[in-house]
Amino acid sequence: NNNPGQTVSSMTIGFTGEVWRLSPNPDSLLFSYQLGDVALNASTGWTAVPGLKFTTPVTGSGQADGNSSVNRTVITPVSVYGLHIPAGATVTLRWVDPTGSSSAAMGIDDFSLVLWASFAGYFRSRTTGNWNETASWEISADQLSWSAATNVVPNHRAAGIFILPGHTITVS
């Protein structure tokens, strides 16, 4: 549930996929999300994120130690943009195993989720600095009144981004 009181415009998700029982063929977990508090088995409305697919790193039969490095795959965090999740709204996340039978026993570990608040206003550099540091930026809704950016940095939702003369903003 989005309780920070701000509209969320993007989220970044990462995790480690693990296999605990082997399957003779590669198996996978497919990630998708849906706005709202919906049943995980709902058949429509899901948005797939292919970059968050986990495929078993090994095949075979029998039990496996999902904590062993050969049975784990770190899924590098992936950002999902273009969201509009108002304050108080719910987002449902799920992983689905598309195989009907002879499935591996898979799990998700080391899950991380970062929600990014949207700010559709304007940004201008406050000083030389790093793009991802709030201290580098000022924000304005109208380009007339500016204040220090205290909890958001420019992103794809900004109405405008200005780097003032004499300032250098480093992207890292």
Side-chain angles (χ1 to χ4, degrees), residues 14 33 62 79 85 129 162 167:
Y33 69 92
S79 293
I85 306 168
F162 309 100
H167 293 172

Side-chain angles (χ1 to χ4, degrees), residues 29-68:
L29 291 174
L30 307 177
F31 175 83
S32 57
Y33 69 92
Q34 186 169 163
L35 300 182
D37 185 9
V38 297
L40 294 175
N41 63 352
S43 60
T44 62
W46 296 98
T47 301
V49 181
L52 293 173
K53 176 183 178 182
F54 165 66
T55 301
T56 55
V58 292
T59 58
S61 62
Q63 300 300 313
D65 177 0
N67 290 317
S68 172

Side-chain angles (χ1 to χ4, degrees), residues 88-128:
T90 299
V91 177
T92 303
L93 312 176
R94 74 173 182 177
W95 283 264
V96 175
D97 180 352
T99 56
S101 61
S102 300
S103 186
M106 298 169 283
I108 301 299
D109 200 357
D110 307 322
F111 176 77
S112 67
L113 170 67
V114 178
L115 300 176
W116 301 97
S118 65
F119 179 76
Y122 298 89
F123 289 84
R124 74 177 182 192
S125 60
R126 183 172 160 196
T127 185
T128 292

Side-chain angles (χ1 to χ4, degrees), residues 141-155:
D142 58 10
Q143 295 188 69
L144 299 174
S145 230
W146 293 89
S147 61
T150 57
N151 64 354
V152 65
V153 296
N155 62 35

Side-chain angles (χ1 to χ4, degrees), residues 129-134 136-137 153-155 161 163 169-172:
N130 188 292
W131 186 281
N132 295 314
E133 296 293 327
T134 57
S136 302
W137 301 102
V153 296
N155 62 35
I161 302 170
I163 299 174
I169 299 295
T170 305
V171 177
S172 59

